Structures are given as structure tokens and as C-alpha cells.
Amino acid sequence: MTRSEELFEEAKKYIPGGVNSPVRAFQSIGSTPRFIRSASGSHMKDEDSIDYIDFIGSWGPMILGHDYEEIRNRVMEAIGNGLSFGATTEIEIKVARLICRMVPSIELVRMVNSGTEAVMSAIRVARGYTGRDKIVKFNGCYHGHSDGLLVKAGSGVMTAGVPDSSGVPAGCTADTLTADYNNLDSVESLFQGNPGEIAAVIVEPVGANMGVVLPEPGFLEGLRRICTENGALLIFDEVITGFRLAGDGAQGYFGVTPDLTTFGKIIGAGMPVGAYGGRREIMEVVAPLGSVYQAGTLSGNPVAMTAGYTQLKLMEDHPEWYTNLNEKGNKFFCSMEEILKRYHQPYIINHIGSLGCLFFTDQPVNDYASAKSSDTRAYADYCNYMLNHGIYLAPAQFEAMFLSTAHTEEDLNCFLEVFEDYFKMKAFK
Ligand SMILES: *Cc1c(COP(=O)(O)O)cnc(C)c1O
């Protein structure tokens, strides 16, 4: 037994399934989790002292790689001043000012502790502001685990949501309508069927929780138009894309301006942080200014704010880092595609900037249904092979690969060699 296997047995005695978040259980690749002891730059080491090149980066936060020296130093200083006060601090202003400066659609921003909280709160704001109850989300988009958003697919876009998780009362999802990604008609028909009732449309501007699914040209623009025409708010869930595709996120990258934006993951640089923000007149409904209640004992925690601020400020000060990272990503994912071609493997790679996903299907992936056509058993085989050769990938087909500025040419070449070996083997089997 490896040390990771021993630890997993022990963990299962005290933690449901041995994990504090389900994807970490490696269930969907039929394997067991590697317990991570430490990480530095683009590498992680597990409890068996096995070294991996990390292509998850804590699901996005580690855009500068692990244990970035300046972030560590600032965090150590902050820790020396106390872990939490439950009172206002100057660092909260610095973070808020920085976010408003980097993302022009945001004039007021509220810090929370996770992406789930950010989305849940933004939706409450949209409902409070518009005085409407219904929301539209897209099949295959993930917006955290709050009750009203755990809806995947109703039976067709015209039906109200069916709960996706047990424990969610049908009443909690009755106001959640679902549309298909990249399908504006499905959104239009929801608006026609529910006139004057839809508070907001929430979307991942790049789908990154059904693998990576890019918005087709005109899709985000179309959502903007439909929302404006119907007096509904457009919410971009930029928990993955924010401060990753560009300093101003997907909204800057695609030039489409939402009314509200949610952030998470990356803005804490690895600490538990989320945020939601938008136009001043909308955000003014939030207590204590307005009647939408939202609070958090540890929100704006000084240590977490220091970590997030330091990382975002570094990114703001080095806009070329985004250019270089996105170029590196493009070159890397194109090299993967070339290898697949060389060995006549029909699989699809969707990618944008430093995000990418290999789908084990031969049809273009542009929505939930096409993503679901992937052979998850083939992914499991691939993923286990890569893991066993020192490449740490998401242990599930429908997740993104994340590159960081810390990935060196050597790291990427190492990945490509293992990748080529795998598909060469597969081609000649
Ligand atoms: C991860 C994620 C969330 C939820 O964030 P948590 O911090 O896990 O609660 C929400 N939206 C998107 C797009 C995400 O990827």
C-alpha cells in the first residue's frame, strides 16, 4: 500500500468519502487520491514523495504557480498582525479598489468566502434589484452548490428546473430555468414564456465545468441584447475566467459587459475568497445601503485579502504575463492537437488562453450534450496513465486543465512526451 492509500483509508473513517470536495475522491477515474504534501512552482509532491507536474493549480488560483515568494512573504507579514478581527481593515479597500480598476464594469464590490457564496449573493441582488424571481442558467454551467443552482437539465428548456441533488426541495429550484449553452433561441423562448418574470441570466462566459466550452461568436453579445431588451440583468460567473484570460476577465477578452460579475478561486491566490460586484446603482441594494441582506463573519479576512491583493497586483503590474501565458497555452494545446493527429486519434481539444480540455469524443463540443458524448472510461484510462507518469490532471473528464506562468518549456515538453507515448501506444494497440 502506498502512503496515499493508507491515508485515504484513514480519511474515510472520519470524512464523508475521505474528501472535503467530491471531485478529489478520484471516483470518476476509478482510482484513489494522491495526498499532496507540498507544492512549489509548477510541481507538487505527494506523501509518497512522488513528484508531479501540476495541471490543475488548485482549480485556477495558482496562476503564478505554487508558493510564489512575494505572496508568501506578504502573507507571513499579515499573519504576524493577527488572523482575523471581524472589523474593517485597509487591505479590504486596496483589494476592492484594485478589482474596480482592473474590471471597469465593477463600481462596487463585496468580498465573500467562496465562489458559491458569490453567486448565491449576486442572484439575490439581481432579484432584489429587479423585483423578479426567476433566473436563467445554462445546462452544464456550474455556479457552486447553493440550492437554487443545482439544476442541470430539465426535460427541455421550457420546463422549470428539476433538482440535480437530493436534499434540494423542488421549491428551491422552481424559479431556475435552464437553457442550452450557445443556443440563443433557447434563451429567447424562456423570456417569451416568462414575460417580465426573469431577474437575471447567469452564464460562465467560457464554460469551464463541462470541460472547456467556448462561447460561439455572437452568443455572449446575444445574451447582452436579450437581457437589455427584457430588463433582466446579465451575470457573468467569472470564478474561473476572471483574472485568468485577462486582467479584465472574459468580459474584457470578449468585449461584452455584464451587469454583475462573480469571482472566486483566483482572487484569493489559494485562500478561500469570493467576490461579487457590478454597477453602483445595482450594488447599492446590498445592506447596509439597501434591503438585500448579505453578510459574512470572516469575509474580507486580512490574511486572505493580502494573498489575493498581492497576486492580483502582480498581474496588474505585468500585463505582459497574460500575453505570454495565453501564447504559451495556445502553443501547448496546439502541440497536443498535432500529436493526436499524428496518431490518427479523433479526439477534440477545446482551449482558450491557459485553459484547455481534451474530450474523448470525435464531435465538436459546444454545449452540454456534445460534452456528454465523451467516453469517460477512455478519459479515466488516460488520466491514470498520466498520473502514473508524473502528470497531475483533473481526475474527471469534465474539468479544465490550467496552465500557470510557472510552467516551464521543460515542464510542457515533459507533458507532451508522456502524452505522445500514451497515444502512440493507443494507436498501435
Ligand atoms: C468553482 C466554481 C464556483 C464555486 O466556487 P467555490 O469556491 O467552489 O464555491 C462557481 N462558479 C464557477 C464557474 C466555478 O468554477
Side-chain angles (χ1 to χ4, degrees), residues 114-117 119 142-145 204 209 237 239-240 265:
S114 68
T116 295
E117 251 189 272
V119 171
Y142 179 68
H143 302 292
H145 65 91
E204 288 183 75
N209 287 284
D237 181 349
V239 168
I240 287 195
K265 300 188 173 112

Side-chain angles (χ1 to χ4, degrees), residues 283-304:
M283 288 297 290
E284 278 178 349
V285 304
V286 178
L289 288 179
S291 57
V292 170
Y293 192 71
Q294 186 274 311
T297 303
L298 296 178
S299 295
N301 172 274
V303 181

